[in-house]
Amino acid sequence: MVGILADPDLPGDFARRLIADLEASPDGADGRVSWRVGVLRDPFTSSEPRADQIVELAREWMRRQAWDRAICLTDLPLRVQRRPLVAEVRPDAGVAVVSLPALGATRLFGRVREAILWLEGELTRQGGRGGSGGKRPPAFRFAVRRGESPDASQAELRLLASPVLGQLRMLAGMVRANRPWRLVLGLSRVLAVALATSALALTQNTIWQMGDSLGVPRLAVAAAGSVTAMLVWLVADHELWERRSGPAARNGEPVRLYNAATVTTVLLGVGCLFVALLAINLLAAEFLLSGSLLRSTLQHPVDITDYLELAWITSSAAVVGGALGSGLESDQVVRKAAYGNRELERRGDQDAAAGA
């Protein structure tokens, strides 16, 4: 029996989908494997994320569940000598590990499926049971083999990504795991203040004239400035930034990578908020403000461009209002909205270590 041991949140979701997919395709590994997949949504150690810790945890679950082999899915960014670890195979233990962030952010489920099938084949082949192994699938084409031993009983295979492109791919994968679009609905007070600011701004003819007079370049600068203000406010006010003297740095974790993932996640989330506000304000302006009313104020014929400019400047003001409203949210609520569950657990472990 092959078991899939997954972290909560995105890896666990993928594991459940893989159950149905692999059980529906019993010939998924060239007909040599009868897939019976067990899933344990059990979080791996997070204070010092290393592949060997995950392997030890997997071996314990294998003993309990009577699995023949185990493949672990984690959304922790794993590294070996500063290079992203994409996957690791331990035939002596019957365990393989896949770091989802190292697979990137696009076509992720397909890559995970390819990875699972190939890694099972490697475990079988290197474990001396004549499996398929073979050519690496597209999911692993960018990775480089490292660490194979001539002793088949102790063979260890690591797939490492390049230091530069691999880090960028891992960053994209971490942001994908955080699901930044959830930030919009997660910050209820921010959204409420932003909508209230929008409603107030739409009733002010000064805002109408400002939107009409600024022009596209300055409207773009206004939007960028408001999004940046909210980004900085969220990160600073709710202590989302990892310090180099903090517990993460002391544990040897890639602080720069975590900070880049945090900033990108929040930036994309705030960007989604701006787009949502823009759509709402455009519909509200067209419904509430007649063309004749705008024409009398702006002193020229109006069309959809004028409504779009009005919605744009209103949304920029609303995002600034939402940034101020974010101070009403608790740190726990903001972190829950900005991160995936795994990142929350990792940061919780760090806070506990710092308190100790």
Side-chain angles (χ1 to χ4, degrees):
M1 179 177 180
V2 180
I4 298 180
L5 188 61
D7 268 331
D9 208 11
L10 187 64
D13 293 344
F14 279 175
R16 289 199 306 271
R17 290 177 60 188
L18 279 166
I19 290 177
D21 188 67
L22 292 176
E23 288 182 344
S25 305
D27 58 345
D30 296 331
R32 295 186 174 91
V33 178
S34 177
W35 279 96
R36 297 174 57 203
V37 184
V39 178
L40 293 173
R41 292 170 57 87
D42 189 71
F44 298 125
T45 303
S46 60
S47 58
E48 297 182 37
R50 295 196 305 269
D52 54 355
Q53 293 176 323
I54 297 174
V55 169
E56 288 303 313
L57 180 59
R59 294 182 70 175
E60 178 64 26
W61 279 112
M62 287 172 64
R63 286 192 291 268
R64 295 179 186 177
Q65 302 296 322
W67 290 347
D68 298 316
R69 297 178 292 285
I71 299 176
C72 305
L73 300 179
T74 180
D75 52 8
L76 287 171
L78 304 176
R79 302 197 306 172
V80 175
Q81 297 178 345
R82 300 184 180 276
R83 297 188 65 171
L85 174 66
V86 183
E88 184 165 320
V89 182
R90 300 280 187 90
D92 57 319
V95 177
V97 180
V98 183
S99 176
L100 293 190
L103 295 178
T106 60
R107 211 178 62 84
L108 191 52
F109 179 75
R111 289 179 176 177
V112 171
R113 189 184 190 282
E114 293 170 357
I116 293 294
L117 292 174
W118 186 80
L119 288 172
E120 197 285 330
E122 284 295 309
L123 283 174
T124 302
R125 182 176 64 85
Q126 294 192 32
R129 291 182 289 274
S132 59
K135 187 177 180 181
R136 279 177 288 170
F140 290 149
R141 292 279 170 81
F142 61 90
V144 178
R145 290 174 180 261
R146 289 289 187 277
E148 290 180 290
S149 167
D151 183 356
S153 64
Q154 300 294 324
E156 177 181 304
L157 169 63
R158 284 174 174 167
L159 299 178
L160 304 178
S162 66
V164 178
L165 294 180
Q167 293 280 14
L168 293 176
R169 187 187 296 268
M170 180 171 281
L171 173 60
M174 292 172 68
V175 173
R176 169 69 176 82
N178 286 343
R179 301 175 183 179
W181 51 88
R182 299 186 301 186
L183 187 68
V184 178
L185 299 178
L187 302 179
S188 58
R189 289 186 175 89
V190 171
L191 186 57
V193 172
L195 291 174
T197 304
S198 294
L200 180 62
L202 281 175
T203 64
Q204 305 299 313
N205 57 12
T206 303
I207 293 292
W208 308 350
Q209 294 168 338
M210 186 181 299
D212 185 58
S213 63
L214 285 179
V216 173
R218 286 190 287 180
L219 283 173
V221 171
S226 65
V227 169
T228 301
M230 189 169 187
L231 167 66
V232 173
W233 188 276
L234 283 171
V235 172
D237 189 51
H238 297 282
E239 299 181 351
L240 306 183
W241 190 261
E242 298 274 14
R243 295 181 175 85
R244 292 186 178 182
S245 59
R250 291 195 294 271
N251 286 336
E253 297 181 30
V255 173
R256 291 182 179 178
L257 187 62
Y258 280 124
N259 284 334
T262 296
V263 170
T264 305
T265 298
V266 177
L267 179 61
L268 290 176
V270 176
C272 290
L273 174 62
F274 180 85
V275 172
L277 288 172
L278 181 62
I280 292 171
N281 288 326
L282 181 59
L283 293 175
E286 289 190 327
F287 180 76
L288 298 173
L289 304 176
S290 65
S292 58
L293 179 59
L294 277 182
R295 185 167 55 250
S296 64
T297 301
L298 302 180
Q299 299 298 309
H300 64 71
V302 298
D303 55 22
I304 186 61
T305 302
D306 298 286
Y307 281 101
L308 183 58
E309 290 173 344
L310 174 57
W312 193 281
I313 191 63
T314 301
S315 301
S316 298
V319 169
V320 174
L324 298 177
S326 69
L328 303 174
E329 302 277 12
S330 68
D331 291 345
Q332 182 179 5
V333 169
V334 173
R335 288 187 176 188
K336 186 176 181 180
Y339 302 130
N341 291 339
R342 196 68 195 92
E343 181 73 357
L344 282 171
E345 291 172 3
R346 188 187 67 82
R347 287 174 179 262
D349 288 346
Q350 291 173 6
D351 291 343

